[in-house]
Amino acid sequence: MSVQASNSQARNAAKRHRVSRNRVVAALVFAVVVFFAWQVIAPHIANSATGDANVVSYTVRPGDTLWSYARQITPENKNVGDTVVEIMDMNQLDSAQLQPGQRIVVPEES
């Protein structure tokens, strides 16, 4: 075998090695991109640290406001605003406005 053929084979082997390594790197980069994209677009399950909340149905009376009701059921060491947000989330409300006769789900008073 000539020196020229030997050099050519060595170059080809080095080229195959680089191509193979580039494919591995590209596959790893692709996997990382897919992983982070999945973290962004996948729905996340919210787990409550306190478990299931006990709820009751409440019928809104004339003069009731979400804030006044939340103030009645919020423990003294808790924030009334958090209770308002919780009730709005539980009932999928866009605003804190209530109508007499409206039925809402509220946390059970302790």
Side-chain angles (χ1 to χ4, degrees):
M1 187 182 308
S2 72
V3 173
Q4 191 175 29
S6 178
N7 285 341
S8 177
Q9 286 177 345
R11 279 193 303 263
N12 287 340
K15 185 176 180 181
R16 282 193 304 272
H17 181 70
R18 277 193 308 270
V19 170
S20 177
R21 183 177 40 194
N22 288 345
R23 286 182 181 164
V24 169
V25 169
L28 287 173
V29 168
F30 178 75
V32 168
V33 168
V34 168
F35 173 77
F36 284 111
W38 180 257
Q39 296 300 314
V40 171
I41 63 172
H44 296 283
I45 297 172
N47 293 319
S48 172
T50 59
D52 293 334
N54 293 328
V55 296
V56 295
S57 178
Y58 177 78
T59 302
V60 178
R61 296 180 294 221
D64 282 347
T65 67
L66 193 55
W67 281 91
S68 65
Y69 187 79
R71 200 173 299 115
Q72 291 174 15
I73 66 168
T74 302
E76 285 195 31
N77 61 341
K78 301 292 181 179
N79 184 331
V80 175
D82 292 340
T83 304
V84 169
V85 170
E86 180 184 7
I87 294 170
M88 288 179 67
D89 288 346
M90 292 171 89
N91 292 280
Q92 300 173 348
L93 299 174
D94 293 328
S95 75
Q97 298 296 318
L98 299 176
Q99 302 298 319
Q102 180 179 3
R103 292 179 59 111
I104 58 173
V105 175
V106 295
E108 190 173 50
E109 294 181 60
S110 341

